[in-house]
Amino acid sequence: MASGRIIFLNGTSSSGKSSIARELLDILDDGVFFHMAVDDFNAMRSKRELGAEELDAALRRTRMGFHRSIAAMAEAGNDIVVDHVLSEPWRLLDCLTLLRPEDVLFVGVHCPLDELARRELARGDRPPGLAAHQYDLVHGHGDYDLECDTSAASPRECAQQIKEFLPHRPSPTAFTRLRRHHLTDDREPLTA
């Protein structure tokens, strides 16, 4: 059985990843795609109050489980649209370790800080400043197969760009290059 394709959307909170993912599910017509969002995994957790240390441990386990769920779905032949925030270096390393790099189309979802702040305020369901905190962290690895700017293009236009690019994924992919850089040489790996 062939592994499924993974369209991996990475960007800050409120950058437009979920909107792009919904549009992709609507326009992709060459397979059956599933949208897997880290926020959905966080929402599955019980609602009892946790202390800071316990919450950090639970969030780390949640994200590790999310990464493994992506890998399992793709390994079973499912095509996936991933909606994630790689704001801690270990998250990228974990994904690089678990996912077949040749199956991943790595998409950077960008949006200027002032627009992120406006969206965050309008949403009202995110702590103020969350996107600004994540801004330099999520794209710190510096390598994508494709990038889009949701302040310059609608979610539908970004999805269309991704759809048109999907059959022409580069070789090696960004995940392949990042894996070589971070996992198979003598450089210091990303940590934390």
Side-chain angles (χ1 to χ4, degrees):
M1 173 186 327
S3 292
R5 296 168 290 173
I6 301 170
I7 299 172
F8 197 117
L9 306 174
N10 177 47
T12 65
S13 173
S14 302
S15 63
K17 300 177 307 296
S18 297
S19 297
I20 293 170
R22 284 190 294 275
E23 294 291 346
L24 281 166
L25 291 186
D26 190 43
I27 67 171
L28 290 169
D29 53 9
D30 67 335
V32 177
F33 280 83
F34 294 84
H35 176 202
M36 296 181 70
V38 71
D39 287 348
D40 293 343
F41 272 62
N42 288 331
M44 288 189 269
R45 189 178 65 248
S46 61
K47 302 302 179 214
R48 79 174 176 82
E49 199 66 33
L50 300 174
E53 192 172 304
E54 190 179 10
L55 178 60
D56 286 346
L59 289 174
R60 186 175 182 99
R61 287 191 312 271
T62 302
R63 287 169 178 97
M64 290 175 76
F66 176 58
H67 302 160
R68 281 145 185 81
S69 297
I70 297 164
M73 285 288 285
E75 185 178 311
N78 297 295
D79 292 327
I80 311 294
V81 178
V82 174
D83 170 351
H84 204 356
V85 181
L86 296 175
S87 59
E88 296 174 289
W90 76 264
R91 296 181 196 183
L92 175 60
L93 286 177
D94 202 37
C95 290
L96 291 173
T97 301
L98 294 167
L99 305 178
R100 288 172 34 101
E102 61 273 13
D103 295 336
V104 179
L105 173 64
F106 198 28
V107 180
V109 179
H110 300 278
C111 186
L113 269 173
D114 58 339
E115 176 62 11
L116 288 169
R118 188 197 66 73
R119 291 177 187 180
E120 210 169 60
L121 186 62
R123 286 174 69 153
D125 64 349
R126 298 288 192 271
L130 178 62
H133 170 74
Q134 298 169 343
Y135 194 74
D136 290 326
L137 302 172
V138 297
H139 304 296
H141 54 81
D143 193 0
Y144 288 107
D145 297 309
L146 182 65
E147 299 182 68
C148 56
D149 181 342
T150 60
S151 70
S154 71
R156 184 65 161 224
E157 291 167 334
C158 292
Q160 188 64 40
Q161 181 184 6
I162 293 165
K163 178 185 177 181
E164 291 169 7
F165 189 84
L166 187 59
H168 309 289
R169 287 176 288 173
S171 182
T173 65
F175 253 50
T176 301
R177 295 186 302 269
L178 287 164
R179 193 173 188 171
R180 282 185 201 143
H181 181 77
H182 293 293
L183 300 180
T184 60
D185 65 17
D186 295 329
R187 295 170 220 215
E188 282 293 311
L190 295 169
T191 57

